[in-house]
Tab-separated table of all heavy atoms in Angstrom:
chain	number	residue	atom	x	y	z
W	286	GLY	N	6.743	22.528	-23.619
W	286	GLY	CA	5.778	22.774	-22.534
W	286	GLY	C	4.406	22.215	-22.845
W	286	GLY	O	3.427	22.526	-22.104
W	287	LYS	N	4.274	21.451	-23.925
W	287	LYS	CA	2.937	20.929	-24.297
W	287	LYS	C	2.363	20.023	-23.210
W	287	LYS	O	1.244	20.237	-22.762
W	287	LYS	CB	3.048	20.101	-25.593
W	287	LYS	CG	3.394	20.844	-26.839
W	287	LYS	CD	3.205	20.001	-28.071
W	287	LYS	CE	4.089	18.742	-28.085
W	287	LYS	NZ	5.531	18.974	-28.202
W	288	THR	N	3.158	19.017	-22.816
W	288	THR	CA	2.605	18.055	-21.847
W	288	THR	C	2.359	18.731	-20.496
W	288	THR	O	1.383	18.432	-19.820
W	288	THR	CB	3.575	16.848	-21.734
W	288	THR	OG1	3.620	16.216	-23.014
W	288	THR	CG2	3.118	15.845	-20.702
W	289	THR	N	3.240	19.633	-20.110
W	289	THR	CA	3.024	20.365	-18.851
W	289	THR	C	1.732	21.143	-18.881
W	289	THR	O	0.922	21.146	-17.945
W	289	THR	CB	4.209	21.300	-18.534
W	289	THR	OG1	5.393	20.511	-18.490
W	289	THR	CG2	4.034	22.003	-17.207
W	290	THR	N	1.497	21.820	-20.038
W	290	THR	CA	0.249	22.589	-20.191
W	290	THR	C	-0.967	21.642	-20.073
W	290	THR	O	-1.943	21.922	-19.360
W	290	THR	CB	0.218	23.276	-21.575
W	290	THR	OG1	1.403	24.078	-21.688
W	290	THR	CG2	-0.996	24.162	-21.739
W	291	ILE	N	-0.863	20.528	-20.758
W	291	ILE	CA	-1.974	19.536	-20.726
W	291	ILE	C	-2.179	18.994	-19.315
W	291	ILE	O	-3.309	18.821	-18.843
W	291	ILE	CB	-1.762	18.434	-21.758
W	291	ILE	CG1	-1.933	19.007	-23.166
W	291	ILE	CG2	-2.696	17.253	-21.543
W	291	ILE	CD1	-1.716	18.051	-24.289
W	292	LYS	N	-1.083	18.758	-18.617
W	292	LYS	CA	-1.204	18.267	-17.231
W	292	LYS	C	-1.898	19.305	-16.345
W	292	LYS	O	-2.650	18.964	-15.430
W	292	LYS	CB	0.166	17.921	-16.692
W	292	LYS	CG	0.643	16.541	-17.174
W	292	LYS	CD	1.934	16.151	-16.498
W	292	LYS	CE	2.290	14.719	-16.870
W	292	LYS	NZ	3.624	14.355	-16.381
W	293	MET	N	-1.613	20.587	-16.602
W	293	MET	CA	-2.295	21.637	-15.782
W	293	MET	C	-3.750	21.735	-16.177
W	293	MET	O	-4.637	21.958	-15.351
W	293	MET	CB	-1.588	22.976	-15.979
W	293	MET	CG	-0.210	22.988	-15.309
W	293	MET	SD	0.513	24.619	-15.197
W	293	MET	CE	1.013	24.890	-16.874
W	294	LEU	N	-4.003	21.537	-17.441
W	294	LEU	CA	-5.367	21.605	-17.975
W	294	LEU	C	-6.234	20.494	-17.362
W	294	LEU	O	-7.437	20.686	-17.123
W	294	LEU	CB	-5.283	21.444	-19.480
W	294	LEU	CG	-6.410	21.890	-20.375
W	294	LEU	CD1	-6.747	23.313	-20.105
W	294	LEU	CD2	-5.993	21.744	-21.850
W	295	THR	N	-5.611	19.331	-17.144
W	295	THR	CA	-6.376	18.195	-16.633
W	295	THR	C	-6.330	18.074	-15.120
W	295	THR	O	-6.899	17.153	-14.553
W	295	THR	CB	-5.811	16.877	-17.232
W	295	THR	OG1	-4.400	16.873	-17.012
W	295	THR	CG2	-6.107	16.760	-18.705
W	296	GLY	N	-5.641	18.993	-14.454
W	296	GLY	CA	-5.608	18.977	-13.002
W	296	GLY	C	-4.561	18.065	-12.440
W	296	GLY	O	-4.516	17.844	-11.240
W	297	ILE	N	-3.737	17.459	-13.294
W	297	ILE	CA	-2.680	16.571	-12.785
W	297	ILE	C	-1.610	17.417	-12.090
W	297	ILE	O	-1.100	17.036	-11.045
W	297	ILE	CB	-2.067	15.732	-13.928
W	297	ILE	CG1	-3.114	14.761	-14.469
W	297	ILE	CG2	-0.822	14.995	-13.485
W	297	ILE	CD1	-2.684	13.938	-15.675
W	298	LEU	N	-1.313	18.565	-12.697
W	298	LEU	CA	-0.378	19.484	-12.076
W	298	LEU	C	-1.093	20.782	-11.730
W	298	LEU	O	-1.961	21.208	-12.466
W	298	LEU	CB	0.754	19.841	-13.061
W	298	LEU	CG	1.912	18.856	-13.229
W	298	LEU	CD1	2.848	19.414	-14.282
W	298	LEU	CD2	2.634	18.638	-11.944
W	299	ALA	N	-0.683	21.393	-10.613
W	299	ALA	CA	-1.257	22.692	-10.266
W	299	ALA	C	-0.317	23.776	-10.816
W	299	ALA	O	0.892	23.675	-10.608
W	299	ALA	CB	-1.378	22.791	-8.775
W	300	PRO	N	-0.859	24.821	-11.478
W	300	PRO	CA	0.025	25.876	-11.949
W	300	PRO	C	0.624	26.676	-10.792
W	300	PRO	O	-0.014	26.760	-9.735
W	300	PRO	CB	-0.877	26.728	-12.830
W	300	PRO	CG	-2.269	26.393	-12.429
W	300	PRO	CD	-2.260	25.023	-11.819
W	301	ASP	N	1.819	27.225	-10.981
W	301	ASP	CA	2.397	28.097	-9.952
W	301	ASP	C	1.602	29.402	-9.873
W	301	ASP	O	1.413	29.958	-8.809
W	301	ASP	CB	3.858	28.429	-10.293
W	301	ASP	CG	4.734	27.182	-10.293
W	301	ASP	OD1	4.331	26.187	-9.620
W	301	ASP	OD2	5.794	27.210	-10.923
W	302	SER	N	1.177	29.861	-11.020
W	302	SER	CA	0.332	31.054	-11.055
W	302	SER	C	-0.596	30.967	-12.245
W	302	SER	O	-0.363	30.152	-13.163
W	302	SER	CB	1.225	32.312	-11.135
W	302	SER	OG	1.969	32.294	-12.331
W	303	GLY	N	-1.598	31.815	-12.278
W	303	GLY	CA	-2.540	31.819	-13.399
W	303	GLY	C	-3.796	30.976	-13.081
W	303	GLY	O	-3.900	30.401	-11.988
W	304	ARG	N	-4.672	30.947	-14.054
W	304	ARG	CA	-6.013	30.345	-13.813
W	304	ARG	C	-6.329	29.385	-14.960
W	304	ARG	O	-6.052	29.663	-16.133
W	304	ARG	CB	-7.023	31.484	-13.784
W	304	ARG	CG	-8.339	31.201	-13.158
W	304	ARG	CD	-9.045	32.544	-12.870
W	304	ARG	NE	-9.066	33.374	-14.085
W	304	ARG	CZ	-10.126	33.498	-14.879
W	304	ARG	NH1	-11.229	32.862	-14.608
W	304	ARG	NH2	-10.054	34.299	-15.944
W	305	VAL	N	-6.903	28.225	-14.579
W	305	VAL	CA	-7.356	27.252	-15.578
W	305	VAL	C	-8.862	27.111	-15.423
W	305	VAL	O	-9.364	26.822	-14.342
W	305	VAL	CB	-6.689	25.869	-15.404
W	305	VAL	CG1	-7.251	24.867	-16.391
W	305	VAL	CG2	-5.187	25.967	-15.514
W	306	GLN	N	-9.597	27.341	-16.501
W	306	GLN	CA	-11.049	27.206	-16.437
W	306	GLN	C	-11.504	26.200	-17.511
W	306	GLN	O	-11.034	26.259	-18.655
W	306	GLN	CB	-11.713	28.526	-16.762
W	306	GLN	CG	-12.084	29.319	-15.516
W	306	GLN	CD	-13.028	30.469	-15.831
W	306	GLN	OE1	-13.257	30.770	-17.010
W	306	GLN	NE2	-13.567	31.066	-14.820
W	307	ILE	N	-12.400	25.301	-17.101
W	307	ILE	CA	-12.944	24.352	-18.083
W	307	ILE	C	-14.444	24.351	-17.967
W	307	ILE	O	-14.985	24.202	-16.859
W	307	ILE	CB	-12.347	22.905	-17.835
W	307	ILE	CG1	-10.905	22.901	-18.312
W	307	ILE	CG2	-13.178	21.862	-18.561
W	307	ILE	CD1	-10.197	21.623	-18.186
W	308	ASN	N	-15.097	24.560	-19.067
W	308	ASN	CA	-16.577	24.566	-19.119
W	308	ASN	C	-17.153	25.534	-18.060
W	308	ASN	O	-18.140	25.200	-17.382
W	308	ASN	CB	-17.101	23.132	-18.883
W	308	ASN	CG	-18.443	22.936	-19.515
W	308	ASN	OD1	-18.926	23.760	-20.306
W	308	ASN	ND2	-19.076	21.816	-19.183
W	309	GLY	N	-16.501	26.617	-17.843
W	309	GLY	CA	-16.996	27.638	-16.907
W	309	GLY	C	-16.589	27.384	-15.463
W	309	GLY	O	-16.912	28.160	-14.554
W	310	HIS	N	-15.915	26.299	-15.207
W	310	HIS	CA	-15.512	25.985	-13.820
W	310	HIS	C	-14.006	26.199	-13.653
W	310	HIS	O	-13.233	25.926	-14.554
W	310	HIS	CB	-15.855	24.515	-13.486
W	310	HIS	CG	-17.245	24.153	-13.726
W	310	HIS	ND1	-18.291	24.552	-12.945
W	310	HIS	CD2	-17.802	23.408	-14.756
W	310	HIS	CE1	-19.407	24.072	-13.422
W	310	HIS	NE2	-19.158	23.390	-14.539
Side-chain angles (χ1 to χ4, degrees):
Chain W
K287 294 191 299 294
T288 297
T289 302
T290 305
I291 289 178
K292 281 186 173 173
M293 289 192 285
L294 200 54
T295 51
I297 293 176
L298 279 178
D301 296 338
S302 61
R304 199 164 51 100
V305 177
Q306 264 194 350
I307 287 181
N308 206 11
H310 306 286

